[in-house]
Amino acid sequence: MIDILLLIGVILPIVIGILIKVLFIPASEGISVTGAHVFFKLDLPLGGMPITEAQVNSWLVIISIFFLCLFLTRNMKTRKQTRRQIIAEWIVTKTDSLVRSNMGKAFMGFVPFIAAMLALSAFSSLLTLVGLFPPTSDLNVVAGWAIMVFILITYYKMKCGPWHYIKSFGEPVPFLAPLNVISEIATPVSMSLRHYGNILSGSVISVILASGLSLLSRKLLGGIGTFPLFRVGLPAVLSVYFDVFSGCLQAFIFAMLTMLYVSGAFAEDEYNERKKRKKAKAEAKAKAEV
Amino acid sequence: MLELAIGIILGGCALGAGCAMIAGIGPGIGEGNAVAKACEAIGRQPECKGEVTTTMLMGCAVAETTGLYALIIAFLLIFVAPGRFVDILLDAIE
């Protein structure tokens, strides 16, 4: 009984998204390329904050994934595992080994974060399959994730002390500092633009292809009626590459780059040395007090 | 006169979008090289196929970035820029 309720919880957000799209977004004439539809604007002290399709859809995806996790991890047993428990265990072990091989043992706390990022990114991109606006084809959403990763990178660079962080800009020669600052900023910019550009280009190419095919069928089979016959089938084949493959690949790459950047930012030897030095200093101080 | 000006704007935007996509040559060659080397590696050591494929896909996606920058510029020139430029022109006339 609860299983069915949880399954409804997985599917219902997507249905609500389709309903919202049907009810509140005016139908466009023919096929057109538009950004996210703005539902309304919240008045905040620092100016209006538009609530767009991208935000609504990403919240729906989050709720859907939440119920999916609950559904997969219900009724866990050590023996006679159910099919969904095996799926859940497979996901956990795969992410575990991915993080272990790319980040090392010191970063095992990152497993849930990486898994959440993978799931959110992949499911958001796959929303195009049901005809909804994918949140990842809005730069604001992806830029938010990239800024979060940038903060993580800076935090792990700061672990060896602020002086070490500032000194790292003057390497290898001090006058290269401006270039180092630019390369630091380029990380989140390239991460967000890569993800956004891939998903957006896929949907735009599909739209251009669909409109071209409908034009072709209108010109060639004008007498049969307004039904665009050539549009049946061919866009679906391309959508396998542009939506399914590209979306999943970009999710994987975003997670992979996050892991590489974060683990690369943390200088483990330097950190251990600093810890040792601090410890020695504290011991010396304690001795002096005695 | 106004029609001519708007026509020049639209034509310029379309030409610019086309020119921007010249950048697609670079990632194409680069990804081709990467895949060729990956095929060689798999041919030499078939047992590490999985790892080579993952690394290759990762490298391809990173190499694709410059092409995507150009693609975003082209999209901006096609879908956003003409309206902006025409607005600026109309403002200037007033």
Side-chain angles (χ1 to χ4, degrees):
Chain A
M1 186 62 207
I2 295 174
D3 283 354
I4 295 168
L5 273 179
L6 288 175
L7 259 188
I8 289 172
V10 174
I11 298 164
L12 195 65
I14 309 299
V15 176
I16 289 174
I18 295 171
L19 273 183
I20 288 175
K21 178 164 183 171
V22 169
L23 291 180
F24 293 106
I25 297 176
S28 55
E29 277 291 314
I31 299 164
S32 64
V33 178
T34 51
H37 182 259
V38 179
F39 287 118
F40 58 89
K41 269 193 177 175
L42 276 183
D43 280 327
L44 291 180
L46 282 173
M49 177 187 161
I51 301 295
T52 63
E53 224 178 334
Q55 278 149 319
V56 174
N57 283 357
S58 57
W59 272 106
L60 293 175
V61 168
I62 290 168
I63 296 167
S64 179
I65 292 174
F66 173 72
F67 280 111
L68 186 66
C69 290
L70 283 185
F71 174 70
L72 284 178
T73 54
R74 224 178 82 76
N75 269 341
M76 301 257 261
K77 290 177 207 136
T78 44
R79 256 170 226 196
K80 271 197 188 175
Q81 295 110 320
T82 47
R83 227 173 291 160
R84 56 191 146 148
Q85 187 184 343
I86 291 170
I87 293 173
E89 280 173 2
W90 180 78
I91 293 170
V92 171
T93 41
K94 274 281 163 191
T95 335
D96 236 41
S97 68
L98 194 70
V99 172
R100 196 191 304 274
S101 63
N102 284 310
M103 295 176 91
K105 271 204 164 154
F107 287 93
M108 285 315 275
F110 266 79
V111 175
F113 174 70
I114 297 295
M117 188 148 249
L118 271 172
L120 184 58
S121 175
F123 276 74
S124 301
S125 302
L126 289 180
L127 268 192
T128 34
L129 293 183
V130 290
L132 289 173
F133 180 85
T136 37
S137 74
D138 189 338
L139 184 54
N140 299 316
V141 175
V142 193
W145 301 352
I147 288 169
M148 187 170 69
V149 172
F150 176 70
I151 291 170
L152 269 177
I153 293 170
T154 315
Y155 173 74
Y156 274 96
K157 278 190 175 169
M158 286 275 203
K159 274 227 157 172
C160 299
W163 175 238
H164 183 261
Y165 176 67
I166 295 166
K167 217 167 59 182
S168 73
F169 283 108
E171 277 171 5
V173 226
F175 77 83
L176 284 180
L179 285 180
N180 280 330
V181 173
I182 291 173
S183 78
E184 197 81 353
I185 296 168
T187 308
V189 170
S190 77
M191 267 178 102
S192 56
L193 280 184
R194 181 179 303 125
H195 199 319
Y196 154 79
N198 258 300
I199 309 296
L200 178 81
S201 68
S203 52
V204 170
I205 289 169
S206 314
V207 164
I208 290 175
L209 182 84
S211 65
L213 284 176
S214 63
L215 193 72
L216 189 72
S217 60
R218 207 184 309 139
K219 283 275 182 304
L220 288 183
L221 317 164
I224 297 176
T226 53
F227 182 71
L229 193 66
F230 289 134
R231 237 170 81 194
V232 179
L234 191 54
V237 178
L238 276 175
S239 138
V240 171
Y241 173 75
F242 282 123
D243 295 335
V244 181
F245 177 71
S246 191
C248 293
L249 185 68
Q250 286 310 312
F252 176 68
I253 290 197
F254 197 88
M256 199 82 174
L257 284 178
T258 307
M259 289 190 282
L260 293 181
Y261 281 138
V262 171
S263 63
F266 183 51
E268 205 172 351
D269 301 338
E270 181 79 26
Y271 180 68
N272 288 338
E273 227 168 72
R274 193 178 132 88
K275 235 179 173 178
K276 235 184 247 166
R277 247 184 285 142
K278 263 192 173 170
K279 215 176 173 185
K281 233 184 212 173
E283 274 173 8
K285 213 178 179 185
K287 256 186 196 169
E289 271 175 12
V290 169
Chain B
M1 204 56 203
L2 189 62
E3 284 92 352
L4 185 66
I6 291 175
I8 288 173
I9 287 176
L10 293 180
C13 285
L15 270 179
C19 289
M21 284 318 291
I22 292 174
I25 296 172
I29 295 173
E31 281 178 30
N33 270 335
V35 178
K37 291 285 177 195
C39 287
E40 276 177 23
I42 293 172
R44 222 177 290 130
Q45 279 176 305
E47 66 270 12
C48 64
K49 187 183 172 194
E51 207 156 307
V52 168
T53 312
T54 327
T55 317
M56 182 202 74
L57 279 179
M58 172 94 191
C60 280
V62 174
E64 222 174 43
T65 316
T66 47
L68 283 170
Y69 290 161
L71 191 70
I72 291 168
I73 298 292
F75 280 159
L76 285 178
L77 277 173
I78 292 172
F79 295 113
V80 182
R84 280 282 161 84
F85 290 160
V86 169
D87 283 350
I88 292 170
L89 179 77
L90 293 180
D91 283 351
I93 287 172
E94 280 175 10

